[in-house]
PDB file of all heavy atoms in Angstrom:
ATOM      1  N   GLN A   1       6.759  -2.089  18.742  1.00  0.00           N
ATOM      2  CA  GLN A   1       7.536  -1.529  19.836  1.00  0.00           C
ATOM      3  C   GLN A   1       9.001  -1.819  19.552  1.00  0.00           C
ATOM      4  O   GLN A   1       9.402  -2.982  19.460  1.00  0.00           O
ATOM      5  CB  GLN A   1       7.113  -2.160  21.168  1.00  0.00           C
ATOM      6  CG  GLN A   1       7.923  -1.687  22.364  1.00  0.00           C
ATOM      7  CD  GLN A   1       7.711  -0.229  22.687  1.00  0.00           C
ATOM      8  OE1 GLN A   1       6.576   0.268  22.647  1.00  0.00           O
ATOM      9  NE2 GLN A   1       8.785   0.484  23.011  1.00  0.00           N
ATOM     10  N   MET A   2       9.797  -0.771  19.432  1.00  0.00           N
ATOM     11  CA  MET A   2      11.212  -0.911  19.081  1.00  0.00           C
ATOM     12  C   MET A   2      12.052  -0.471  20.263  1.00  0.00           C
ATOM     13  O   MET A   2      12.009   0.690  20.663  1.00  0.00           O
ATOM     14  CB  MET A   2      11.541  -0.073  17.841  1.00  0.00           C
ATOM     15  CG  MET A   2      10.637  -0.382  16.652  1.00  0.00           C
ATOM     16  SD  MET A   2      11.157   0.441  15.134  1.00  0.00           S
ATOM     17  CE  MET A   2      10.892   2.148  15.579  1.00  0.00           C
ATOM     18  N   ASN A   3      12.812  -1.399  20.820  1.00  0.00           N
ATOM     19  CA  ASN A   3      13.666  -1.143  21.959  1.00  0.00           C
ATOM     20  C   ASN A   3      15.131  -1.356  21.577  1.00  0.00           C
ATOM     21  O   ASN A   3      15.423  -2.041  20.588  1.00  0.00           O
ATOM     22  CB  ASN A   3      13.301  -2.080  23.110  1.00  0.00           C
ATOM     23  CG  ASN A   3      11.852  -1.957  23.524  1.00  0.00           C
ATOM     24  OD1 ASN A   3      11.314  -0.844  23.651  1.00  0.00           O
ATOM     25  ND2 ASN A   3      11.198  -3.085  23.740  1.00  0.00           N
ATOM     26  N   GLY A   4      16.025  -0.800  22.356  1.00  0.00           N
ATOM     27  CA  GLY A   4      17.439  -0.992  22.080  1.00  0.00           C
ATOM     28  C   GLY A   4      17.818  -0.569  20.680  1.00  0.00           C
ATOM     29  O   GLY A   4      18.581  -1.257  19.991  1.00  0.00           O
ATOM     30  N   LEU A   5      17.317   0.567  20.250  1.00  0.00           N
ATOM     31  CA  LEU A   5      17.526   0.988  18.861  1.00  0.00           C
ATOM     32  C   LEU A   5      18.995   1.255  18.564  1.00  0.00           C
ATOM     33  O   LEU A   5      19.736   1.771  19.416  1.00  0.00           O
ATOM     34  CB  LEU A   5      16.680   2.208  18.553  1.00  0.00           C
ATOM     35  CG  LEU A   5      15.199   1.882  18.328  1.00  0.00           C
ATOM     36  CD1 LEU A   5      14.333   3.122  18.453  1.00  0.00           C
ATOM     37  CD2 LEU A   5      15.003   1.240  16.953  1.00  0.00           C
ATOM     38  N   LYS A   6      19.381   0.893  17.354  1.00  0.00           N
ATOM     39  CA  LYS A   6      20.743   1.057  16.874  1.00  0.00           C
ATOM     40  C   LYS A   6      20.731   1.962  15.645  1.00  0.00           C
ATOM     41  O   LYS A   6      19.710   2.056  14.953  1.00  0.00           O
ATOM     42  CB  LYS A   6      21.323  -0.309  16.486  1.00  0.00           C
ATOM     43  CG  LYS A   6      21.256  -1.355  17.576  1.00  0.00           C
ATOM     44  CD  LYS A   6      21.731  -2.707  17.060  1.00  0.00           C
ATOM     45  CE  LYS A   6      21.650  -3.778  18.137  1.00  0.00           C
ATOM     46  NZ  LYS A   6      22.098  -5.105  17.630  1.00  0.00           N
ATOM     47  N   PRO A   7      21.865   2.590  15.326  1.00  0.00           N
ATOM     48  CA  PRO A   7      21.910   3.424  14.111  1.00  0.00           C
ATOM     49  C   PRO A   7      21.487   2.664  12.850  1.00  0.00           C
ATOM     50  O   PRO A   7      20.866   3.252  11.965  1.00  0.00           O
ATOM     51  CB  PRO A   7      23.375   3.850  14.049  1.00  0.00           C
ATOM     52  CG  PRO A   7      23.819   3.870  15.474  1.00  0.00           C
ATOM     53  CD  PRO A   7      23.100   2.712  16.119  1.00  0.00           C
ATOM     54  N   GLU A   8      21.785   1.383  12.789  1.00  0.00           N
ATOM     55  CA  GLU A   8      21.410   0.605  11.601  1.00  0.00           C
ATOM     56  C   GLU A   8      19.911   0.333  11.512  1.00  0.00           C
ATOM     57  O   GLU A   8      19.441  -0.222  10.520  1.00  0.00           O
ATOM     58  CB  GLU A   8      22.178  -0.726  11.550  1.00  0.00           C
ATOM     59  CG  GLU A   8      22.109  -1.548  12.815  1.00  0.00           C
ATOM     60  CD  GLU A   8      23.324  -1.344  13.706  1.00  0.00           C
ATOM     61  OE1 GLU A   8      23.766  -0.181  13.863  1.00  0.00           O
ATOM     62  OE2 GLU A   8      23.806  -2.349  14.267  1.00  0.00           O
ATOM     63  N   ASP A   9      19.150   0.703  12.528  1.00  0.00           N
ATOM     64  CA  ASP A   9      17.696   0.612  12.459  1.00  0.00           C
ATOM     65  C   ASP A   9      17.072   1.821  11.752  1.00  0.00           C
ATOM     66  O   ASP A   9      15.862   1.855  11.519  1.00  0.00           O
ATOM     67  CB  ASP A   9      17.087   0.501  13.861  1.00  0.00           C
ATOM     68  CG  ASP A   9      17.470  -0.797  14.566  1.00  0.00           C
ATOM     69  OD1 ASP A   9      17.454  -1.855  13.910  1.00  0.00           O
ATOM     70  OD2 ASP A   9      17.785  -0.728  15.768  1.00  0.00           O
ATOM     71  N   THR A  10      17.887   2.792  11.439  1.00  0.00           N
ATOM     72  CA  THR A  10      17.411   3.986  10.739  1.00  0.00           C
ATOM     73  C   THR A  10      16.817   3.629   9.390  1.00  0.00           C
ATOM     74  O   THR A  10      17.366   2.785   8.660  1.00  0.00           O
ATOM     75  CB  THR A  10      18.572   4.981  10.558  1.00  0.00           C
ATOM     76  OG1 THR A  10      18.969   5.462  11.838  1.00  0.00           O
ATOM     77  CG2 THR A  10      18.163   6.155   9.681  1.00  0.00           C
ATOM     78  N   GLY A  11      15.706   4.273   9.055  1.00  0.00           N
ATOM     79  CA  GLY A  11      15.081   4.056   7.759  1.00  0.00           C
ATOM     80  C   GLY A  11      13.647   4.528   7.770  1.00  0.00           C
ATOM     81  O   GLY A  11      13.150   4.996   8.800  1.00  0.00           O
ATOM     82  N   VAL A  12      12.999   4.406   6.634  1.00  0.00           N
ATOM     83  CA  VAL A  12      11.562   4.650   6.543  1.00  0.00           C
ATOM     84  C   VAL A  12      10.857   3.336   6.835  1.00  0.00           C
ATOM     85  O   VAL A  12      11.154   2.317   6.202  1.00  0.00           O
ATOM     86  CB  VAL A  12      11.163   5.187   5.159  1.00  0.00           C
ATOM     87  CG1 VAL A  12       9.654   5.412   5.101  1.00  0.00           C
ATOM     88  CG2 VAL A  12      11.904   6.483   4.851  1.00  0.00           C
ATOM     89  N   TYR A  13       9.956   3.368   7.787  1.00  0.00           N
ATOM     90  CA  TYR A  13       9.233   2.165   8.198  1.00  0.00           C
ATOM     91  C   TYR A  13       7.835   2.189   7.579  1.00  0.00           C
ATOM     92  O   TYR A  13       7.117   3.187   7.691  1.00  0.00           O
ATOM     93  CB  TYR A  13       9.154   2.083   9.724  1.00  0.00           C
ATOM     94  CG  TYR A  13      10.442   1.578  10.333  1.00  0.00           C
ATOM     95  CD1 TYR A  13      11.592   2.367  10.320  1.00  0.00           C
ATOM     96  CD2 TYR A  13      10.521   0.311  10.890  1.00  0.00           C
ATOM     97  CE1 TYR A  13      12.789   1.891  10.859  1.00  0.00           C
ATOM     98  CE2 TYR A  13      11.712  -0.173  11.439  1.00  0.00           C
ATOM     99  CZ  TYR A  13      12.832   0.621  11.413  1.00  0.00           C
ATOM    100  OH  TYR A  13      14.016   0.150  11.957  1.00  0.00           O
ATOM    101  N   TYR A  14       7.488   1.081   6.948  1.00  0.00           N
ATOM    102  CA  TYR A  14       6.192   0.925   6.304  1.00  0.00           C
ATOM    103  C   TYR A  14       5.440  -0.235   6.942  1.00  0.00           C
ATOM    104  O   TYR A  14       6.044  -1.254   7.293  1.00  0.00           O
ATOM    105  CB  TYR A  14       6.364   0.596   4.819  1.00  0.00           C
ATOM    106  CG  TYR A  14       7.099   1.618   4.000  1.00  0.00           C
ATOM    107  CD1 TYR A  14       8.495   1.588   3.885  1.00  0.00           C
ATOM    108  CD2 TYR A  14       6.412   2.626   3.321  1.00  0.00           C
ATOM    109  CE1 TYR A  14       9.180   2.523   3.122  1.00  0.00           C
ATOM    110  CE2 TYR A  14       7.087   3.564   2.562  1.00  0.00           C
ATOM    111  CZ  TYR A  14       8.469   3.503   2.467  1.00  0.00           C
ATOM    112  OH  TYR A  14       9.133   4.441   1.707  1.00  0.00           O
ATOM    113  N   CYS A  15       4.126  -0.098   7.032  1.00  0.00           N
ATOM    114  CA  CYS A  15       3.316  -1.271   7.298  1.00  0.00           C
ATOM    115  C   CYS A  15       2.609  -1.664   6.002  1.00  0.00           C
ATOM    116  O   CYS A  15       2.360  -0.811   5.134  1.00  0.00           O
ATOM    117  CB  CYS A  15       2.343  -1.071   8.441  1.00  0.00           C
ATOM    118  SG  CYS A  15       1.023   0.122   8.183  1.00  0.00           S
ATOM    119  N   ALA A  16       2.331  -2.941   5.900  1.00  0.00           N
ATOM    120  CA  ALA A  16       1.742  -3.477   4.677  1.00  0.00           C
ATOM    121  C   ALA A  16       0.859  -4.664   5.024  1.00  0.00           C
ATOM    122  O   ALA A  16       1.021  -5.279   6.089  1.00  0.00           O
ATOM    123  CB  ALA A  16       2.835  -3.898   3.702  1.00  0.00           C
ATOM    124  N   ALA A  17      -0.058  -4.981   4.121  1.00  0.00           N
ATOM    125  CA  ALA A  17      -1.000  -6.076   4.350  1.00  0.00           C
ATOM    126  C   ALA A  17      -0.814  -7.168   3.305  1.00  0.00           C
ATOM    127  O   ALA A  17      -0.738  -6.869   2.100  1.00  0.00           O
ATOM    128  CB  ALA A  17      -2.432  -5.559   4.307  1.00  0.00           C
ATOM    129  N   ASP A  18      -0.729  -8.404   3.778  1.00  0.00           N
ATOM    130  CA  ASP A  18      -0.736  -9.571   2.892  1.00  0.00           C
ATOM    131  C   ASP A  18      -2.156 -10.116   2.904  1.00  0.00           C
ATOM    132  O   ASP A  18      -2.573 -10.775   3.854  1.00  0.00           O
ATOM    133  CB  ASP A  18       0.262 -10.620   3.402  1.00  0.00           C
ATOM    134  CG  ASP A  18       0.289 -11.874   2.540  1.00  0.00           C
ATOM    135  OD1 ASP A  18      -0.512 -11.961   1.588  1.00  0.00           O
ATOM    136  OD2 ASP A  18       1.112 -12.757   2.821  1.00  0.00           O
ATOM    137  N   LEU A  19      -2.890  -9.819   1.837  1.00  0.00           N
ATOM    138  CA  LEU A  19      -4.315 -10.137   1.794  1.00  0.00           C
ATOM    139  C   LEU A  19      -4.597 -11.503   1.166  1.00  0.00           C
ATOM    140  O   LEU A  19      -5.758 -11.907   1.098  1.00  0.00           O
ATOM    141  CB  LEU A  19      -5.054  -9.052   1.014  1.00  0.00           C
ATOM    142  CG  LEU A  19      -4.871  -7.624   1.557  1.00  0.00           C
ATOM    143  CD1 LEU A  19      -5.558  -6.617   0.663  1.00  0.00           C
ATOM    144  CD2 LEU A  19      -5.384  -7.519   2.989  1.00  0.00           C
ATOM    145  N   THR A  20      -3.555 -12.185   0.708  1.00  0.00           N
ATOM    146  CA  THR A  20      -3.740 -13.503   0.087  1.00  0.00           C
ATOM    147  C   THR A  20      -3.004 -14.591   0.849  1.00  0.00           C
ATOM    148  O   THR A  20      -2.697 -15.645   0.298  1.00  0.00           O
ATOM    149  CB  THR A  20      -3.271 -13.471  -1.382  1.00  0.00           C
ATOM    150  OG1 THR A  20      -1.885 -13.086  -1.419  1.00  0.00           O
ATOM    151  CG2 THR A  20      -4.092 -12.496  -2.203  1.00  0.00           C
ATOM    152  N   LEU A  21      -2.730 -14.357   2.109  1.00  0.00           N
ATOM    153  CA  LEU A  21      -2.056 -15.354   2.940  1.00  0.00           C
ATOM    154  C   LEU A  21      -2.941 -16.591   3.076  1.00  0.00           C
ATOM    155  O   LEU A  21      -4.095 -16.467   3.495  1.00  0.00           O
ATOM    156  CB  LEU A  21      -1.769 -14.754   4.315  1.00  0.00           C
ATOM    157  CG  LEU A  21      -1.017 -15.627   5.313  1.00  0.00           C
ATOM    158  CD1 LEU A  21       0.394 -15.903   4.825  1.00  0.00           C
ATOM    159  CD2 LEU A  21      -0.981 -14.952   6.677  1.00  0.00           C
ATOM    160  N   PRO A  22      -2.412 -17.764   2.724  1.00  0.00           N
ATOM    161  CA  PRO A  22      -3.226 -18.979   2.855  1.00  0.00           C
ATOM    162  C   PRO A  22      -3.649 -19.213   4.303  1.00  0.00           C
ATOM    163  O   PRO A  22      -2.884 -18.949   5.242  1.00  0.00           O
ATOM    164  CB  PRO A  22      -2.286 -20.080   2.359  1.00  0.00           C
ATOM    165  CG  PRO A  22      -1.337 -19.382   1.449  1.00  0.00           C
ATOM    166  CD  PRO A  22      -1.119 -18.030   2.081  1.00  0.00           C
ATOM    167  N   LEU A  23      -4.854 -19.721   4.475  1.00  0.00           N
ATOM    168  CA  LEU A  23      -5.416 -19.928   5.799  1.00  0.00           C
ATOM    169  C   LEU A  23      -4.493 -20.763   6.674  1.00  0.00           C
ATOM    170  O   LEU A  23      -4.013 -21.819   6.262  1.00  0.00           O
ATOM    171  CB  LEU A  23      -6.774 -20.619   5.665  1.00  0.00           C
ATOM    172  CG  LEU A  23      -7.655 -20.685   6.908  1.00  0.00           C
ATOM    173  CD1 LEU A  23      -8.004 -19.281   7.377  1.00  0.00           C
ATOM    174  CD2 LEU A  23      -8.923 -21.478   6.606  1.00  0.00           C
ATOM    175  N   PHE A  24      -4.205 -20.244   7.863  1.00  0.00           N
ATOM    176  CA  PHE A  24      -3.383 -20.869   8.899  1.00  0.00           C
ATOM    177  C   PHE A  24      -1.885 -20.844   8.597  1.00  0.00           C
ATOM    178  O   PHE A  24      -1.099 -21.302   9.418  1.00  0.00           O
ATOM    179  CB  PHE A  24      -3.821 -22.308   9.194  1.00  0.00           C
ATOM    180  CG  PHE A  24      -5.260 -22.422   9.619  1.00  0.00           C
ATOM    181  CD1 PHE A  24      -6.094 -23.396   9.089  1.00  0.00           C
ATOM    182  CD2 PHE A  24      -5.811 -21.536  10.523  1.00  0.00           C
ATOM    183  CE1 PHE A  24      -7.420 -23.491   9.459  1.00  0.00           C
ATOM    184  CE2 PHE A  24      -7.135 -21.609  10.904  1.00  0.00           C
ATOM    185  CZ  PHE A  24      -7.946 -22.597  10.373  1.00  0.00           C
ATOM    186  N   ASP A  25      -1.484 -20.325   7.447  1.00  0.00           N
ATOM    187  CA  ASP A  25      -0.045 -20.204   7.182  1.00  0.00           C
ATOM    188  C   ASP A  25       0.548 -19.101   8.048  1.00  0.00           C
ATOM    189  O   ASP A  25      -0.110 -18.080   8.301  1.00  0.00           O
ATOM    190  CB  ASP A  25       0.210 -19.870   5.719  1.00  0.00           C
ATOM    191  CG  ASP A  25       0.298 -21.101   4.847  1.00  0.00           C
ATOM    192  OD1 ASP A  25      -0.119 -22.182   5.316  1.00  0.00           O
ATOM    193  OD2 ASP A  25       0.778 -20.986   3.701  1.00  0.00           O
ATOM    194  N   PRO A  26       1.808 -19.251   8.494  1.00  0.00           N
ATOM    195  CA  PRO A  26       2.468 -18.131   9.169  1.00  0.00           C
ATOM    196  C   PRO A  26       2.783 -17.030   8.167  1.00  0.00           C
ATOM    197  O   PRO A  26       2.966 -17.292   6.970  1.00  0.00           O
ATOM    198  CB  PRO A  26       3.760 -18.757   9.710  1.00  0.00           C
ATOM    199  CG  PRO A  26       4.022 -19.902   8.799  1.00  0.00           C
ATOM    200  CD  PRO A  26       2.679 -20.427   8.394  1.00  0.00           C
ATOM    201  N   CYS A  27       2.818 -15.807   8.637  1.00  0.00           N
ATOM    202  CA  CYS A  27       3.153 -14.703   7.743  1.00  0.00           C
ATOM    203  C   CYS A  27       4.643 -14.759   7.408  1.00  0.00           C
ATOM    204  O   CYS A  27       5.439 -15.343   8.142  1.00  0.00           O
ATOM    205  CB  CYS A  27       2.788 -13.360   8.372  1.00  0.00           C
ATOM    206  SG  CYS A  27       3.575 -13.033   9.962  1.00  0.00           S
ATOM    207  N   VAL A  28       4.983 -14.138   6.291  1.00  0.00           N
ATOM    208  CA  VAL A  28       6.364 -14.129   5.821  1.00  0.00           C
ATOM    209  C   VAL A  28       6.821 -12.703   5.633  1.00  0.00           C
ATOM    210  O   VAL A  28       6.017 -11.770   5.595  1.00  0.00           O
ATOM    211  CB  VAL A  28       6.504 -14.920   4.507  1.00  0.00           C
ATOM    212  CG1 VAL A  28       6.202 -16.394   4.738  1.00  0.00           C
ATOM    213  CG2 VAL A  28       5.592 -14.354   3.423  1.00  0.00           C
ATOM    214  N   LEU A  29       8.126 -12.512   5.480  1.00  0.00           N
ATOM    215  CA  LEU A  29       8.671 -11.156   5.429  1.00  0.00           C
ATOM    216  C   LEU A  29       9.157 -10.763   4.041  1.00  0.00           C
ATOM    217  O   LEU A  29       9.938  -9.826   3.908  1.00  0.00           O
ATOM    218  CB  LEU A  29       9.815 -11.031   6.446  1.00  0.00           C
ATOM    219  CG  LEU A  29       9.370 -11.183   7.904  1.00  0.00           C
ATOM    220  CD1 LEU A  29      10.575 -11.137   8.830  1.00  0.00           C
ATOM    221  CD2 LEU A  29       8.365 -10.096   8.268  1.00  0.00           C
ATOM    222  N   GLY A  30       8.695 -11.457   3.023  1.00  0.00           N
ATOM    223  CA  GLY A  30       9.025 -11.060   1.666  1.00  0.00           C
ATOM    224  C   GLY A  30       8.112  -9.948   1.190  1.00  0.00           C
ATOM    225  O   GLY A  30       6.886 -10.098   1.192  1.00  0.00           O
ATOM    226  N   MET A  31       8.674  -8.842   0.769  1.00  0.00           N
ATOM    227  CA  MET A  31       7.859  -7.670   0.438  1.00  0.00           C
ATOM    228  C   MET A  31       6.908  -7.931  -0.726  1.00  0.00           C
ATOM    229  O   MET A  31       5.835  -7.321  -0.802  1.00  0.00           O
ATOM    230  CB  MET A  31       8.742  -6.468   0.119  1.00  0.00           C
ATOM    231  CG  MET A  31       9.660  -6.642  -1.090  1.00  0.00           C
ATOM    232  SD  MET A  31      10.518  -5.113  -1.518  1.00  0.00           S
ATOM    233  CE  MET A  31       9.201  -4.170  -2.235  1.00  0.00           C
ATOM    234  N   HIS A  32       7.265  -8.844  -1.603  1.00  0.00           N
ATOM    235  CA  HIS A  32       6.432  -9.083  -2.780  1.00  0.00           C
ATOM    236  C   HIS A  32       5.161  -9.855  -2.441  1.00  0.00           C
ATOM    237  O   HIS A  32       4.274  -9.984  -3.290  1.00  0.00           O
ATOM    238  CB  HIS A  32       7.245  -9.821  -3.842  1.00  0.00           C
ATOM    239  CG  HIS A  32       8.449  -9.044  -4.291  1.00  0.00           C
ATOM    240  ND1 HIS A  32       8.350  -7.868  -5.023  1.00  0.00           N
ATOM    241  CD2 HIS A  32       9.778  -9.240  -4.081  1.00  0.00           C
ATOM    242  CE1 HIS A  32       9.560  -7.393  -5.244  1.00  0.00           C
ATOM    243  NE2 HIS A  32      10.446  -8.207  -4.684  1.00  0.00           N
ATOM    244  N   GLU A  33       5.042 -10.343  -1.214  1.00  0.00           N
ATOM    245  CA  GLU A  33       3.826 -11.028  -0.785  1.00  0.00           C
ATOM    246  C   GLU A  33       2.748 -10.037  -0.353  1.00  0.00           C
ATOM    247  O   GLU A  33       1.608 -10.419  -0.159  1.00  0.00           O
ATOM    248  CB  GLU A  33       4.144 -11.959   0.394  1.00  0.00           C
ATOM    249  CG  GLU A  33       5.179 -13.033   0.092  1.00  0.00           C
ATOM    250  CD  GLU A  33       4.684 -14.016  -0.947  1.00  0.00           C
ATOM    251  OE1 GLU A  33       3.463 -14.299  -0.976  1.00  0.00           O
ATOM    252  OE2 GLU A  33       5.508 -14.510  -1.743  1.00  0.00           O
ATOM    253  N   TYR A  34       3.117  -8.786  -0.194  1.00  0.00           N
ATOM    254  CA  TYR A  34       2.218  -7.804   0.397  1.00  0.00           C
ATOM    255  C   TYR A  34       1.572  -6.942  -0.670  1.00  0.00           C
ATOM    256  O   TYR A  34       2.215  -6.536  -1.642  1.00  0.00           O
ATOM    257  CB  TYR A  34       2.972  -6.969   1.432  1.00  0.00           C
ATOM    258  CG  TYR A  34       3.270  -7.789   2.664  1.00  0.00           C
ATOM    259  CD1 TYR A  34       4.279  -8.750   2.655  1.00  0.00           C
ATOM    260  CD2 TYR A  34       2.505  -7.646   3.812  1.00  0.00           C
ATOM    261  CE1 TYR A  34       4.529  -9.530   3.765  1.00  0.00           C
ATOM    262  CE2 TYR A  34       2.749  -8.414   4.937  1.00  0.00           C
ATOM    263  CZ  TYR A  34       3.759  -9.358   4.903  1.00  0.00           C
ATOM    264  OH  TYR A  34       3.995 -10.134   6.008  1.00  0.00           O
ATOM    265  N   ASP A  35       0.296  -6.643  -0.448  1.00  0.00           N
ATOM    266  CA  ASP A  35      -0.541  -6.033  -1.490  1.00  0.00           C
ATOM    267  C   ASP A  35      -0.807  -4.556  -1.267  1.00  0.00           C
ATOM    268  O   ASP A  35      -0.891  -3.792  -2.224  1.00  0.00           O
ATOM    269  CB  ASP A  35      -1.905  -6.754  -1.539  1.00  0.00           C
ATOM    270  CG  ASP A  35      -1.758  -8.262  -1.496  1.00  0.00           C
ATOM    271  OD1 ASP A  35      -1.431  -8.833  -2.548  1.00  0.00           O
ATOM    272  OD2 ASP A  35      -1.943  -8.856  -0.413  1.00  0.00           O
ATOM    273  N   SER A  36      -0.975  -4.161  -0.023  1.00  0.00           N
ATOM    274  CA  SER A  36      -1.327  -2.778   0.292  1.00  0.00           C
ATOM    275  C   SER A  36      -0.265  -2.218   1.228  1.00  0.00           C
ATOM    276  O   SER A  36       0.161  -2.888   2.164  1.00  0.00           O
ATOM    277  CB  SER A  36      -2.692  -2.703   0.976  1.00  0.00           C
ATOM    278  OG  SER A  36      -3.707  -3.172   0.125  1.00  0.00           O
ATOM    279  N   TRP A  37       0.109  -0.972   0.978  1.00  0.00           N
ATOM    280  CA  TRP A  37       1.191  -0.337   1.724  1.00  0.00           C
ATOM    281  C   TRP A  37       0.769   1.025   2.251  1.00  0.00           C
ATOM    282  O   TRP A  37       0.007   1.745   1.605  1.00  0.00           O
ATOM    283  CB  TRP A  37       2.417  -0.151   0.821  1.00  0.00           C
ATOM    284  CG  TRP A  37       3.041  -1.438   0.419  1.00  0.00           C
ATOM    285  CD1 TRP A  37       2.657  -2.253  -0.608  1.00  0.00           C
ATOM    286  CD2 TRP A  37       4.170  -2.067   1.023  1.00  0.00           C
ATOM    287  NE1 TRP A  37       3.478  -3.360  -0.667  1.00  0.00           N
ATOM    288  CE2 TRP A  37       4.419  -3.264   0.318  1.00  0.00           C
ATOM    289  CE3 TRP A  37       5.006  -1.740   2.091  1.00  0.00           C
ATOM    290  CZ2 TRP A  37       5.464  -4.128   0.661  1.00  0.00           C
ATOM    291  CZ3 TRP A  37       6.036  -2.597   2.434  1.00  0.00           C
ATOM    292  CH2 TRP A  37       6.260  -3.784   1.722  1.00  0.00           C
ATOM    293  N   GLY A  38       1.311   1.374   3.424  1.00  0.00           N
ATOM    294  CA  GLY A  38       1.149   2.721   3.926  1.00  0.00           C
ATOM    295  C   GLY A  38       2.178   3.648   3.302  1.00  0.00           C
ATOM    296  O   GLY A  38       3.001   3.233   2.477  1.00  0.00           O
ATOM    297  N   GLN A  39       2.172   4.899   3.755  1.00  0.00           N
ATOM    298  CA  GLN A  39       3.047   5.906   3.162  1.00  0.00           C
ATOM    299  C   GLN A  39       4.419   5.960   3.828  1.00  0.00           C
ATOM    300  O   GLN A  39       5.330   6.577   3.315  1.00  0.00           O
ATOM    301  CB  GLN A  39       2.382   7.289   3.239  1.00  0.00           C
ATOM    302  CG  GLN A  39       2.535   8.019   4.576  1.00  0.00           C
ATOM    303  CD  GLN A  39       1.760   7.399   5.723  1.00  0.00           C
ATOM    304  OE1 GLN A  39       0.900   6.545   5.526  1.00  0.00           O
ATOM    305  NE2 GLN A  39       2.057   7.848   6.941  1.00  0.00           N
ATOM    306  N   GLY A  40       4.559   5.328   4.991  1.00  0.00           N
ATOM    307  CA  GLY A  40       5.845   5.256   5.678  1.00  0.00           C
ATOM    308  C   GLY A  40       6.024   6.327   6.733  1.00  0.00           C
ATOM    309  O   GLY A  40       5.407   7.392   6.683  1.00  0.00           O
ATOM    310  N   THR A  41       6.882   6.017   7.703  1.00  0.00           N
ATOM    311  CA  THR A  41       7.238   6.980   8.744  1.00  0.00           C
ATOM    312  C   THR A  41       8.740   6.846   9.006  1.00  0.00           C
ATOM    313  O   THR A  41       9.275   5.742   9.094  1.00  0.00           O
ATOM    314  CB  THR A  41       6.417   6.744  10.035  1.00  0.00           C
ATOM    315  OG1 THR A  41       6.720   7.754  10.999  1.00  0.00           O
ATOM    316  CG2 THR A  41       6.681   5.380  10.654  1.00  0.00           C
ATOM    317  N   GLN A  42       9.420   7.985   9.093  1.00  0.00           N
ATOM    318  CA  GLN A  42      10.876   7.995   9.209  1.00  0.00           C
ATOM    319  C   GLN A  42      11.310   7.743  10.644  1.00  0.00           C
ATOM    320  O   GLN A  42      10.805   8.365  11.587  1.00  0.00           O
ATOM    321  CB  GLN A  42      11.434   9.351   8.740  1.00  0.00           C
ATOM    322  CG  GLN A  42      12.929   9.515   8.901  1.00  0.00           C
ATOM    323  CD  GLN A  42      13.720   8.667   7.918  1.00  0.00           C
ATOM    324  OE1 GLN A  42      13.406   8.609   6.736  1.00  0.00           O
ATOM    325  NE2 GLN A  42      14.782   8.027   8.405  1.00  0.00           N
TER     326      GLN A  42
END
């Protein structure tokens, strides 16, 4: 849910899955940690 959108929020948005996240670790936002990607939505 994206509220208060700004021009700098413009871009292609992708969802991705980190399938090797260690048990109980918090997720991280480094793209190289993610294994599977969607096609994106503008």
Side-chain angles (χ1 to χ4, degrees):
Q1 177 67 42
M2 306 188 294
N3 303 316
L5 283 162
K6 306 175 181 179
E8 51 263 43
D9 294 317
T10 294
V12 179
Y13 281 70
Y14 300 88
C15 66
D18 179 356
L19 303 176
T20 59
L21 182 65
L23 192 61
F24 302 135
D25 273 15
C27 58
V28 295
L29 295 176
M31 62 173 287
H32 300 292
E33 300 295 326
Y34 288 75
D35 315 282
S36 297
W37 293 83
Q39 82 290 347
T41 184
Q42 176 71 45

